[in-house]
Amino acid sequence: KHAKELKALKAAHDKHAGDLADVKAGHLKHASLPERIDYLEQLLGDSADKHAKELQDLKEAHAKFMAAHGKQAKDVDALKALHQHHATMGERIDYLEKLLGDSADKHFEELQALKSAHAKHADSLARQGKDAGAALAQHASVAERIAYLEKLLG
């Protein structure tokens, strides 16, 4: 009876010893608490350093963007100012049409005045031509005048 119990105890002891050996072997695979804390601190430090660098890079990129944006905003304001001094295409076309219309009206009036003056001069010339013809009809020709003079002088 005791032998049986002794055998059972030895078996239980061997089992516990094996379990303890497994726990010790597993413990050897795990890092110690200070090692684990050091690892976490290094990981967090590296992560913090990486994030700080990324944050600095973002700040620099933002500053560069703002400088470029400021320059572009000035350029846009300058273009707006220039645009205000220029007439729109519609305004320019309206101006040209008015200018050409006024010019065409002026040229038409001048043409009509010239035609009227030409007609007046043509009428005057025709009247003078008739008057000259009538005057010439009343005057003797050169041959008639010479014959008259010869007759008078005898």
Side-chain angles (χ1 to χ4, degrees), residues 20-32 35:
L20 182 60
D22 289 342
V23 168
K24 284 183 180 180
H27 183 64
L28 292 175
K29 293 179 186 176
H30 290 287
S32 67
E35 290 172 339

Side-chain angles (χ1 to χ4, degrees), residues 1-15:
K1 189 175 178 187
H2 287 291
K4 229 182 193 186
E5 286 180 13
L6 188 58
K7 193 175 178 185
L9 281 173
K10 279 185 180 183
H13 181 268
D14 290 339
K15 183 180 182 265

Side-chain angles (χ1 to χ4, degrees), residues 47-89:
S47 178
D49 291 343
K50 179 181 172 185
H51 288 168
K53 183 181 181 317
E54 287 178 358
L55 183 61
Q56 183 60 34
D57 291 346
L58 282 173
K59 285 181 180 179
E60 290 172 4
H62 184 261
K64 187 176 178 182
F65 169 78
M66 290 306 292
H69 182 266
K71 182 184 178 303
Q72 289 174 349
K74 287 179 186 176
D75 291 345
V76 167
D77 290 341
L79 286 173
K80 284 180 181 177
L82 285 174
H83 183 65
Q84 289 176 351
H85 295 293
H86 290 286
T88 65
M89 189 62 74

Side-chain angles (χ1 to χ4, degrees), residues 75-131:
D75 291 345
V76 167
D77 290 341
L79 286 173
K80 284 180 181 177
L82 285 174
H83 183 65
Q84 289 176 351
H85 295 293
H86 290 286
T88 65
M89 189 62 74
E91 291 170 340
R92 293 170 75 182
I93 288 173
D94 289 344
Y95 171 75
L96 289 174
E97 286 176 344
K98 182 181 180 296
L99 185 68
L100 288 175
D102 292 348
S103 178
D105 293 342
K106 181 180 175 185
H107 289 164
F108 179 75
E109 290 172 5
E110 288 178 5
L111 184 61
Q112 292 304 321
L114 285 173
K115 284 181 179 180
S116 173
H118 182 266
K120 183 177 175 184
H121 288 298
D123 290 344
S124 174
L125 182 62
R127 273 196 319 267
Q128 287 177 359
K130 287 179 185 175
D131 291 345

